[in-house]
Amino acid sequence: MRNIRDRRAAFTLIELLVVIAVIGVLIALLLPAVQSAREAARRAQCSNNLKQIGLGMHAYHATHDVFPPGYITGTETANINSPETGPGWGWATMLLNNLEQSAAYNAANFSVPITVPASQTIRTVSLSVFLCPSSTGGSGPVVLKNAAGANLVTDLSPGQYVASAGQLEVEEFPAQNNGLFYRNSRIGVRDVQDGTSTTLMAGERSRNVADATWVGVIPYSRVCTNPKWKVKDCETANVMVLGHTGPSPDQHWVDVPNYKGAGADDFWSLHSGGCNFLFADGSVRFIKESVDPRVFSFLSTRAGGEVVSADQY
């Protein structure tokens, strides 16, 4: 009798395999839900970052009556397409004091170039408000080279939010564009004739496509798409702080969010279906990659006269 009871207390091989199979099925069913919940949290954090940036933009505007310039720099000659000489500080560095980053703001000397030793503290600091947790494509600082391949900076802090320059290509039109930000821009709410609720202020760019930074523009440097990205594109480094939608004289199409042929100057995220965008009224909205290209293009202009309703994006 004892031997019979002992045999009945043990699991058979078939029973064990059934239990393992059931556990495997449960894990397979649960894993997508866990991943979806994690991405929802990352997307919410990313949206909150843009909301904080929007508050900083409007605090800056309240003080200066304009939004910060896209970036500040001189040029070698009076020609607007002349090579830039720096210092190159970008829009985000000018918001630091309004983003509870007073120590970082005080460490920045806007009259000297980003690349000099005196600017190392500020150009290397990592700030979570400028980093989207969903972005992938490499970690660590940004390395920028000149056209000859020599390193100009190897410790530039990355960022995943670029300001909206408008429709026109950032490289081709550095000193003039029809959005809110460009070289030495001084655009205020009074200039946003299309309405602040339908004008883009900033959006996402993930490192799996191309690097961006919150610090600014390094003169004479080039930025290229991620080597693993299928589109090979190199641009002037001002695209690291600015993005555009198209069309443009040399680009007769619109690059919608998450466009599969995106270059180094476009908006892109790893959120499923689209990107988070900050609008000029301070609101943050998710624009789907299925948006009508014409509508997305219209959203990037400050005074284009286009009529866009909220149900179109």
Side-chain angles (χ1 to χ4, degrees), residues 199-279:
T199 302
L200 298 178
M201 178 171 274
E204 299 183 71
R205 183 181 300 146
S206 175
R207 294 189 82 172
N208 72 302
V209 172
D211 274 323
T213 181
W214 60 268
V215 183
V217 178
I218 307 300
Y220 308 107
S221 64
R222 303 284 290 170
V223 58
C224 298
T225 48
N226 190 308
K228 297 180 180 179
W229 186 243
K230 61 183 178 181
V231 176
K232 308 306 176 187
D233 177 42
C234 292
E235 307 271 356
T236 52
N238 49 8
V239 304
M240 294 188 70
V241 298
L242 301 174
H244 84 119
T245 63
S248 194
D250 292 332
Q251 177 186 316
H252 302 300
W253 62 92
V254 176
D255 289 351
V256 295
N258 293 0
Y259 175 55
K260 299 304 185 286
D265 54 359
D266 293 322
F267 296 101
W268 177 278
S269 84
L270 284 174
H271 307 306
S272 178
C275 294
N276 287 314
F277 283 89
L278 170 66
F279 283 72

Side-chain angles (χ1 to χ4, degrees), residues 49-184:
N49 287 348
L50 282 169
K51 184 65 176 178
Q52 296 305 310
I53 292 170
L55 292 172
M57 288 281 195
H58 281 274
Y60 183 99
H61 191 285
T63 301
H64 302 279
D65 204 31
V66 291
F67 295 119
Y71 61 102
I72 55 174
T73 186
T75 56
E76 290 183 358
T77 70
N79 188 317
I80 62 173
N81 291 317
S82 175
E84 297 173 347
T85 57
W89 298 100
W91 57 270
T93 57
M94 300 171 203
L95 298 181
L96 293 175
N97 209 31
N98 303 117
L99 294 173
E100 300 182 349
Q101 298 292 338
S102 297
Y105 181 82
N106 293 333
N109 184 344
F110 295 122
S111 63
V112 302
I114 296 170
T115 53
V116 300
S119 299
Q120 185 176 31
T121 298
I122 182 65
R123 75 170 180 260
T124 59
V125 66
S126 178
L127 298 176
S128 60
V129 70
F130 298 121
L131 298 173
C132 176
S134 292
S135 177
T136 62
S139 59
V142 177
V143 177
L144 290 178
K145 304 175 183 291
N146 61 16
N151 285 342
L152 295 178
V153 63
T154 60
D155 54 5
L156 190 64
S157 181
Q160 273 94 58
Y161 306 110
V162 292
S164 174
Q167 295 173 318
L168 308 179
E169 292 176 280
V170 178
E171 181 180 50
E172 299 291 332
F173 297 88
Q176 56 183 357
N177 216 316
N178 54 10
L180 297 185
F181 300 94
Y182 47 88
R183 178 206 295 166
N184 301 326

Side-chain angles (χ1 to χ4, degrees), residues 256-257 273 287-296 299 312-313:
V256 295
I287 298 182
K288 296 180 180 179
E289 57 193 50
S290 59
V291 65
D292 185 324
R294 295 177 70 251
V295 170
F296 185 58
L299 291 174
Q312 291 181 284
Y313 60 94

